[in-house]
Amino acid sequence: EAGVTQFPSHSVIEKGQTVTLRCDPISGHDNLYWYRRVMGKEIKFLLHFVKESKQDESGMPNNRFLAERTGGTYSTLKVQPAELEDSGVYFCASSPFRGSPLHFGNGTRLTVT
Amino acid sequence: TQLLEQSPQFLSIQEGENLTVYCNSSSVFSSLQWYRQEPGEGPVLLVTVVTGGEVKKLKRLTFQFGDARKDSSLHITAAQPGDTGLYLCAGETGANNLFFGTGTRLTVIP
Protein backbone atom coordinates (compact mmCIF):
# COMPACT_ATOMS: atom_id res chain seq x y z
CA GLU A 1 0.00 0.00 0.00
CA ALA A 2 1.13 3.54 -0.62
CA GLY A 3 2.33 5.32 2.49
CA VAL A 4 1.51 8.79 3.73
CA THR A 5 2.65 11.29 1.13
CA GLN A 6 3.40 14.94 1.70
CA PHE A 7 3.88 17.72 -0.80
CA PRO A 8 6.05 19.65 -1.28
CA SER A 9 9.09 18.04 0.30
CA HIS A 10 10.74 21.43 0.64
CA SER A 11 9.42 24.98 0.54
CA VAL A 12 11.34 28.23 0.86
CA ILE A 13 9.24 31.37 1.19
CA GLU A 14 9.69 34.91 2.40
CA LYS A 15 8.25 36.25 5.59
CA GLY A 16 4.70 37.43 5.01
CA GLN A 17 3.97 35.02 2.19
CA THR A 18 1.48 32.19 2.24
CA VAL A 19 2.31 28.49 1.99
CA THR A 20 0.03 25.49 1.76
CA LEU A 21 1.24 22.04 2.69
CA ARG A 22 -0.61 18.95 1.56
CA CYS A 23 -0.90 15.50 3.09
CA ASP A 24 -2.39 12.41 1.50
CA PRO A 25 -2.97 9.78 4.18
CA ILE A 26 -3.02 6.06 3.62
CA SER A 27 -6.29 5.15 1.91
CA GLY A 28 -8.96 4.26 4.41
CA HIS A 29 -7.27 5.93 7.37
CA ASP A 30 -9.85 8.08 9.11
CA ASN A 31 -7.38 9.64 11.53
CA LEU A 32 -4.99 12.27 10.25
CA TYR A 33 -2.51 14.20 12.35
CA TRP A 34 -0.20 17.15 11.79
CA TYR A 35 3.00 17.50 13.79
CA ARG A 36 5.99 19.78 13.40
CA ARG A 37 9.57 20.05 14.55
CA VAL A 38 11.10 23.48 14.75
CA MET A 39 14.87 23.83 14.89
CA GLY A 40 16.42 22.19 17.91
CA LYS A 41 13.11 21.24 19.46
CA GLU A 42 11.15 18.03 19.77
CA ILE A 43 8.35 17.03 17.40
CA LYS A 44 5.12 18.60 18.62
CA PHE A 45 1.49 17.83 17.96
CA LEU A 46 -0.53 20.37 15.99
CA LEU A 47 -3.93 18.82 15.36
CA HIS A 48 -5.96 15.69 14.74
CA PHE A 49 -8.72 15.02 12.23
CA VAL A 50 -11.20 12.20 12.33
CA LYS A 51 -12.49 12.06 8.80
CA GLU A 52 -13.30 15.68 7.98
CA SER A 53 -13.81 16.82 11.57
CA LYS A 54 -11.20 18.45 13.77
CA GLN A 55 -10.96 16.23 16.82
CA ASP A 56 -8.25 18.17 18.61
CA GLU A 57 -6.53 21.35 17.49
CA SER A 58 -4.97 22.23 20.81
CA GLY A 59 -1.47 22.25 19.35
CA MET A 60 -2.07 24.85 16.66
CA PRO A 61 0.25 27.74 17.53
CA ASN A 62 -1.94 30.64 16.43
CA ASN A 63 -4.57 31.76 13.97
CA ARG A 64 -2.06 32.08 11.15
CA PHE A 65 -2.36 28.32 10.78
CA LEU A 66 -5.42 26.79 9.11
CA ALA A 67 -5.88 23.08 8.55
CA GLU A 68 -8.61 21.56 6.44
CA ARG A 69 -9.65 18.09 5.42
CA THR A 70 -12.57 18.54 3.11
CA GLY A 71 -14.21 15.24 2.19
CA GLY A 72 -12.18 13.41 4.78
CA THR A 73 -9.41 12.43 2.38
CA TYR A 74 -6.34 14.61 1.93
CA SER A 75 -5.54 17.49 4.25
CA THR A 76 -3.96 20.89 3.77
CA LEU A 77 -2.17 23.08 6.26
CA LYS A 78 -1.96 26.72 5.31
CA VAL A 79 0.29 29.24 6.97
CA GLN A 80 -0.71 32.84 6.29
CA PRO A 81 1.23 35.05 6.72
CA ALA A 82 4.36 33.02 7.40
CA GLU A 83 6.81 34.18 10.07
CA LEU A 84 10.44 33.27 10.60
CA GLU A 85 9.61 31.08 13.61
CA ASP A 86 7.38 28.91 11.44
CA SER A 87 10.45 27.34 9.85
CA GLY A 88 10.75 23.65 10.55
CA VAL A 89 9.68 20.24 9.36
CA TYR A 90 5.95 19.56 9.21
CA PHE A 91 4.95 15.92 9.48
CA CYS A 92 1.65 14.34 8.67
CA ALA A 93 0.60 10.96 10.05
CA SER A 94 -2.43 8.75 9.65
CA SER A 95 -3.99 5.74 11.33
CA PRO A 96 -7.04 3.63 10.58
CA PHE A 97 -8.67 3.98 13.99
CA ARG A 98 -8.06 5.57 17.38
CA GLY A 99 -5.23 3.95 19.26
CA SER A 100 -3.69 2.24 16.25
CA PRO A 101 -0.06 3.01 15.32
CA LEU A 102 0.63 6.16 13.38
CA HIS A 103 2.20 6.08 9.93
CA PHE A 104 4.25 9.19 9.25
CA GLY A 105 5.00 10.89 5.99
CA ASN A 106 8.48 12.12 5.12
CA GLY A 107 7.60 15.67 6.09
CA THR A 108 7.74 19.05 4.42
CA ARG A 109 10.73 21.19 5.29
CA LEU A 110 9.58 24.79 5.44
CA THR A 111 12.08 27.60 5.46
CA VAL A 112 10.84 31.14 5.99
CA THR A 113 13.43 33.81 5.14
CA THR B 1 3.04 20.18 28.89
CA GLN B 2 4.41 16.67 29.14
CA LEU B 3 8.16 16.73 28.65
CA LEU B 4 10.07 13.63 27.70
CA GLU B 5 13.80 13.93 28.10
CA GLN B 6 16.05 11.50 26.35
CA SER B 7 19.64 10.75 27.23
CA PRO B 8 22.15 10.75 25.86
CA GLN B 9 21.40 13.31 23.17
CA PHE B 10 24.24 12.01 21.01
CA LEU B 11 25.97 8.64 21.13
CA SER B 12 28.84 7.38 19.01
CA ILE B 13 29.98 3.82 19.54
CA GLN B 14 31.96 1.09 17.82
CA GLU B 15 30.28 -1.76 16.04
CA GLY B 16 29.63 -4.63 18.41
CA GLU B 17 29.22 -2.53 21.54
CA ASN B 18 26.07 -2.40 23.64
CA LEU B 19 24.18 0.77 24.47
CA THR B 20 21.18 2.02 26.38
CA VAL B 21 19.04 5.05 25.65
CA TYR B 22 16.81 6.50 28.33
CA CYS B 23 13.51 8.34 28.11
CA ASN B 24 12.33 10.06 31.28
CA SER B 25 9.34 12.13 32.28
CA SER B 26 7.52 13.30 35.37
CA SER B 27 4.22 12.48 33.66
CA VAL B 28 2.41 9.17 33.48
CA PHE B 29 1.61 7.83 30.03
CA SER B 30 -0.97 5.29 28.92
CA SER B 31 1.57 3.92 26.47
CA LEU B 32 5.04 4.73 25.25
CA GLN B 33 6.33 4.30 21.74
CA TRP B 34 9.81 4.16 20.29
CA TYR B 35 10.51 5.41 16.78
CA ARG B 36 13.53 5.50 14.55
CA GLN B 37 13.98 8.27 12.02
CA GLU B 38 16.33 8.39 9.05
CA PRO B 39 17.39 11.66 7.40
CA GLY B 40 14.70 13.00 5.06
CA GLU B 41 12.12 10.54 6.30
CA GLY B 42 9.40 10.46 8.91
CA PRO B 43 9.57 8.53 12.18
CA VAL B 44 8.96 4.80 11.88
CA LEU B 45 7.40 2.96 14.79
CA LEU B 46 9.58 0.28 16.38
CA VAL B 47 7.50 -0.76 19.36
CA THR B 48 4.71 0.23 21.73
CA VAL B 49 4.80 -0.63 25.43
CA VAL B 50 1.63 -0.34 27.46
CA THR B 51 1.96 -2.06 30.82
CA GLY B 52 4.19 -0.82 33.63
CA GLY B 53 7.28 -3.03 33.79
CA GLU B 54 6.67 -4.43 30.33
CA VAL B 55 9.67 -5.66 28.36
CA LYS B 56 9.58 -6.17 24.61
CA LYS B 57 12.32 -7.51 22.38
CA LEU B 58 12.83 -6.82 18.71
CA LYS B 59 15.86 -8.81 17.55
CA ARG B 60 18.83 -7.04 19.21
CA LEU B 61 16.66 -4.26 20.64
CA THR B 62 15.10 -4.53 24.10
CA PHE B 63 12.51 -2.00 25.25
CA GLN B 64 11.32 -1.57 28.80
CA PHE B 65 8.51 0.53 30.25
CA GLY B 66 9.03 1.75 33.80
CA ASP B 67 6.82 0.37 36.56
CA ALA B 68 5.24 3.78 37.08
CA ARG B 69 4.76 4.30 33.31
CA LYS B 70 6.83 7.51 33.42
CA ASP B 71 10.05 6.29 31.83
CA SER B 72 11.41 3.83 29.34
CA SER B 73 14.68 2.49 28.04
CA LEU B 74 15.96 1.08 24.78
CA HIS B 75 18.90 -1.31 24.92
CA ILE B 76 20.75 -2.37 21.79
CA THR B 77 23.03 -5.39 21.93
CA ALA B 78 25.99 -5.71 19.59
CA ALA B 79 25.22 -2.54 17.67
CA GLN B 80 25.56 -2.60 13.89
CA PRO B 81 26.20 0.30 11.49
CA GLY B 82 22.66 -0.21 10.25
CA ASP B 83 21.40 0.84 13.69
CA THR B 84 22.63 4.36 13.04
CA GLY B 85 19.80 6.88 13.20
CA LEU B 86 17.68 9.14 15.38
CA TYR B 87 15.76 7.32 18.09
CA LEU B 88 12.67 8.99 19.49
CA CYS B 89 10.44 8.03 22.36
CA ALA B 90 6.86 9.29 22.42
CA GLY B 91 4.30 9.09 25.16
CA GLU B 92 0.56 8.88 24.69
CA THR B 93 -1.74 10.26 27.36
CA GLY B 94 -4.97 8.79 26.09
CA ALA B 95 -6.01 11.80 24.06
CA ASN B 96 -4.51 10.07 21.04
CA ASN B 97 -1.82 12.64 20.42
CA LEU B 98 1.82 11.93 21.07
CA PHE B 99 4.39 13.84 23.12
CA PHE B 100 7.78 13.23 21.60
CA GLY B 101 11.10 13.09 23.36
CA THR B 102 14.10 15.20 22.52
CA GLY B 103 15.74 12.38 20.55
CA THR B 104 18.98 10.41 20.68
CA ARG B 105 21.20 10.48 17.63
CA LEU B 106 23.12 7.21 17.43
CA THR B 107 26.15 6.62 15.24
CA VAL B 108 27.63 3.15 15.03
CA ILE B 109 31.14 3.16 13.62
CA PRO B 110 32.18 0.11 11.59
Side-chain angles (χ1 to χ4, degrees):
Chain A
E1 67 179 2
V4 176
T5 57
Q6 294 186 243
F7 182 84
S9 57
H10 294 81
S11 179
V12 181
I13 62 172
E14 293 183 353
K15 175 182 172 180
Q17 290 186 324
T18 297
V19 63
T20 300
L21 313 181
R22 172 170 170 146
C23 169
D24 286 76
I26 293 173
S27 178
H29 283 197
D30 287 344
N31 293 271
L32 186 149
Y33 305 80
W34 284 98
Y35 285 81
R36 77 170 179 177
R37 176 193 280 136
V38 296
M39 181 69 74
K41 300 285 189 178
E42 65 273 19
I43 298 173
K44 286 190 175 180
F45 168 81
L46 295 179
L47 89 159
H48 170 207
F49 283 100
V50 177
K51 296 185 180 179
E52 69 275 10
S53 299
K54 291 178 185 175
Q55 184 77 12
D56 181 353
E57 53 184 329
S58 61
M60 294 288 265
N62 52 61
N63 59 10
R64 295 186 293 103
F65 289 74
L66 175 65
E68 295 181 320
R69 193 183 181 195
T70 306
T73 54
Y74 71 90
S75 175
T76 58
L77 179 63
K78 183 164 69 173
V79 185
Q80 179 182 28
E83 298 289 344
L84 298 179
E85 64 264 26
D86 300 333
S87 296
V89 182
Y90 290 75
F91 291 103
C92 176
S94 72
S95 69
F97 50 86
R98 184 184 179 92
S100 56
L102 301 188
H103 299 258
F104 281 83
N106 289 340
T108 293
R109 181 173 294 277
L110 174 64
T111 302
V112 183
T113 63
Chain B
T1 301
Q2 283 84 347
L3 178 63
L4 280 159
E5 293 196 22
Q6 288 184 237
S7 61
Q9 187 176 359
F10 297 95
L11 185 57
S12 182
I13 61 171
Q14 295 289 329
E15 180 177 358
E17 292 184 347
N18 302 333
L19 66 111
T20 302
V21 176
Y22 299 93
C23 174
N24 295 296
S25 176
S26 58
S27 300
V28 176
F29 295 100
S30 58
S31 70
L32 198 134
Q33 302 173 11
W34 283 92
Y35 291 81
R36 179 176 154 186
Q37 186 179 8
E38 303 284 354
E41 299 181 4
V44 176
L45 181 67
L46 296 174
V47 77
T48 301
V49 285
V50 179
T51 307
E54 181 177 4
V55 176
K56 278 192 174 179
K57 291 192 174 184
L58 186 64
K59 296 183 180 178
R60 294 176 294 100
L61 278 60
T62 302
F63 306 85
Q64 184 163 8
F65 202 9
D67 291 341
R69 305 206 317 275
K70 294 182 179 181
D71 54 84
S72 182
S73 64
L74 158 60
H75 182 79
I76 302 179
T77 304
Q80 304 294 310
D83 296 328
T84 294
L86 177 66
Y87 290 83
L88 300 162
C89 64
E92 185 176 15
T93 60
N96 209 37
N97 63 49
L98 295 174
F99 293 88
F100 277 86
T102 47
T104 295
R105 190 165 297 279
L106 171 66
T107 302
V108 181
I109 303 167

